Amino acid sequence: MYYFDNAATTKPLPEIITIMNTVTTDYFANPSSAHRLGVRSQKLLQRARQQVAELLKYKEQEVVFTSSGTESNNWVFTSVIDAQHQLRPDRNRVLLSSIEHPCVRLQKERLEQKGYQVEMISVDEKGMIDLGELKNALNEDVLLISTILVNNEVGTIQPMEEISALLVQYPEVIWHVDGVQGVTTQFHHLTHPRIDLLSLSGHKFHSIRGAGLLTIRERVARQSLLLGGGQELGLRSSTENLAAIVCFSKALRLAYENQQETKERLNSYRQQIDEALKEEGWTIFGDTNNVSEHIICAALPPVPGEVLIHAFGEEDVFVSTTSACSSRKHQTHSTLSAMKVSTAISNSAIRISLAKTTTQSDVDYLIKTIQKVSRSFNTLTQKGE
């Protein structure tokens, strides 16, 4: 099996599985319980929060665990934004980049129904946010902006420093960053001090599913997502998924410690894959100088993406269409559409995504498969079949 769908989910590392089993077995008590076992679980939860806070350069009380990146993103737009608006009732404009993940992009209609004015900031043909348009859109009426760090479909890295520079004149504007795809090779961007709200998801960096994160700076107004027992600083009630949270903390630390080696190795792999795709006539999306090393989006028109996926699957190579969320729903590729890519080409797009666990032998086999699949379809096209 040759797995290249890591942007959808990564395989948990062996040490993470060990931690999951240990915590599940030895720390099964509810962290809210007052007895000794509960206190023991609570201390483990506190250590996990402390480690995450140190890695991301936040205060412990600014780190809140959720169940997923989608939940974290939704929390921003269903609760946090309303609390902030109560503090700043004169501000009702929200700016979103046009290449956000669906769990952010689809908030537009809901926000408008609540009275917010939502504007989508366009991107260029490489998937980079239009800084000029963003600059013109910023004013004293803007309450919040949301930008994805690494696009989940194409892998484009948004210009964090440039966006931050534009916000210097608007210190009251809240900046939310979807950093879910950023942990693999862009960890340094996650610690940018101007970011007010940051969303992460553990299963994107070799942890288990069930733990996400929303960091909330103290200057941001807070509003609870779930009411009940008062867990997670009173902001998200429900018994904590302690095993998933501890695994999240460990996996984040490993990603941080291994960042440079992973980044350099995946950059080498990406260059090899890009070269193979170009030699076989594929169209590669995004600026190769400004994309994350772990996501490659390419098309071989006129072959449909679903057909390409099955062809790779026949060779035991697992890739996806541009987003796992839309793979089985045959939805349009929102990022490529925002990049003004024609439907005829975008319908052929697939995503190849790497991870810390990807090896040179995996890449060698992938390249051979790219050659085999490409040539088989090119032969059929030439024959007019």
Side-chain angles (χ1 to χ4, degrees):
M1 179 187 75
Y2 298 87
Y3 184 73
F4 289 92
D5 193 20
N6 291 281
T9 197
T10 54
K11 183 178 180 180
L13 297 172
E15 53 263 57
I16 296 300
I17 297 299
T18 298
I19 290 172
M20 179 188 71
N21 291 333
T22 299
V23 175
T24 301
T25 302
D26 299 339
Y27 293 83
F28 60 87
N30 192 320
S32 297
S33 296
H35 52 65
R36 186 170 69 250
L37 292 180
V39 172
R40 188 165 172 259
S41 293
Q42 178 63 30
K43 288 182 178 179
L44 185 61
L45 175 61
Q46 290 174 343
R47 288 200 296 272
R49 194 187 314 278
Q50 179 183 34
Q51 177 167 274
V52 170
E54 291 175 352
L55 289 169
L56 296 175
K57 295 181 170 51
Y58 283 78
K59 298 177 182 179
E60 287 183 49
Q61 61 267 30
E62 295 176 328
V63 172
V64 185
F65 292 108
T66 65
S67 67
S68 66
T70 291
E71 180 187 317
S72 299
N73 285 340
N74 270 262
W75 189 356
V76 171
F77 295 99
T78 58
S79 298
V80 176
I81 192 171
D82 290 340
Q84 191 65 27
H85 186 245
Q86 289 175 11
L87 285 181
R88 307 288 179 184
D90 55 321
R91 297 170 179 264
N92 75 329
R93 294 178 60 229
V94 178
L95 309 180
L96 309 178
S97 84
S98 60
I99 57 168
E100 295 300 301
H101 187 276
C103 65
V104 171
R105 192 179 68 254
L106 296 179
Q107 300 292 333
K108 184 176 186 295
E109 183 177 353
R110 175 188 291 177
L111 289 171
E112 290 174 338
Q113 290 174 349
K114 294 167 71 172
Y116 293 104
Q117 179 183 340
V118 183
E119 298 172 35
M120 309 299 290
I121 307 300
S122 61
V123 297
D124 63 18
E125 70 280 0
K126 301 296 185 181
M128 294 292 291
I129 192 169
D130 188 326
L131 291 171
E133 184 176 327
L134 176 60
K135 180 179 180 180
N136 292 334
L138 284 168
N139 61 26
E140 298 300 329
D141 296 330
V142 175
L143 178 66
L144 178 146
I145 73 168
S146 184
T147 59
I148 194 167
L149 170 55
V150 174
N151 177 260
N152 58 297
E153 295 186 11
V154 176
T156 304
I157 305 167
Q158 295 308 309
M160 302 293 284
E161 291 299 335
E162 288 84 349
I163 295 173
S164 176
L166 292 178
L167 292 174
V168 169
Q169 298 181 52
Y170 305 97
E172 300 301 326
V173 173
I174 300 303
W175 186 15
H176 167 248
V177 172
D178 178 349
V180 167
Q181 293 291 348
V183 176
T184 303
T185 66
Q186 303 301 315
F187 201 105
H188 62 290
H189 284 309
L190 303 176
T191 63
H192 197 294
R194 181 56 179 85
I195 298 174
D196 296 300
L197 299 159
L198 175 69
S199 302
L200 298 179
S201 182
H203 75 99
K204 302 294 188 177
F205 48 90
H206 304 290
S207 189
I208 61 174
R209 295 171 194 155
L213 179 80
L214 180 64
T215 59
I216 310 174
R217 298 283 186 194
E218 285 184 324
R219 79 186 194 93
V220 179
R222 300 183 174 202
Q223 183 168 303
S224 298
L225 176 67
L226 300 174
L227 301 177
Q231 290 87 353
E232 287 306 293
L233 314 177
L235 297 173
R236 185 189 181 275
S237 294
S238 67
T239 301
E240 298 92 345
N241 187 346
L242 185 58
I245 289 171
V246 175
C247 288
F248 180 106
S249 174
K250 174 69 172 182
L252 189 68
R253 182 168 66 82
L254 291 174
Y256 170 76
E257 293 175 346
N258 298 315
Q259 183 84 171
Q260 192 57 39
E261 186 277 333
T262 300
K263 187 178 181 73
E264 292 175 358
R265 185 162 49 83
L266 296 191
N267 183 55
S268 172
Y269 295 164
R270 183 190 177 97
Q271 290 177 4
Q272 297 173 52
I273 297 168
D274 280 353
E275 183 178 350
L277 290 168
K278 290 175 182 177
E279 289 180 352
E280 300 301 328
W282 290 67
T283 298
I284 302 176
F285 304 104
D287 183 351
T288 55
N289 295 317
N290 200 47
V291 290
S292 180
E293 292 83 353
H294 79 297
I295 296 178
I296 303 168
C297 184
L300 187 68
V303 187
E306 291 80 4
V307 174
L308 289 167
I309 288 173
H310 290 305
F312 277 91
E314 289 295 318
E315 301 299 324
D316 217 23
V317 173
F318 299 95
V319 297
S320 68
T321 54
T322 51
S323 174
C325 301
S326 61
S327 291
R328 296 186 180 181
K329 300 176 184 177
H330 306 291
Q331 296 175 348
T332 58
H333 306 301
S334 60
T335 298
L336 295 181
S337 177
M339 292 165 57
K340 305 298 190 295
V341 176
S342 70
T343 302
I345 296 178
S346 65
N347 282 346
S348 178
I350 66 169
R351 180 182 65 186
I352 300 168
S353 49
L354 320 178
K356 168 186 167 59
T357 52
T358 304
T359 66
Q360 182 63 59
S361 60
D362 293 334
V363 173
D364 291 341
Y365 187 84
L366 171 66
I367 289 173
K368 291 179 181 178
T369 304
I370 288 172
Q371 295 169 342
K372 181 177 181 179
V373 169
S374 303
R375 292 169 189 177
S376 66
F377 282 115
N378 286 335
T379 297
L380 291 175
T381 301
Q382 292 170 2
K383 290 181 179 180
E385 298 182 14

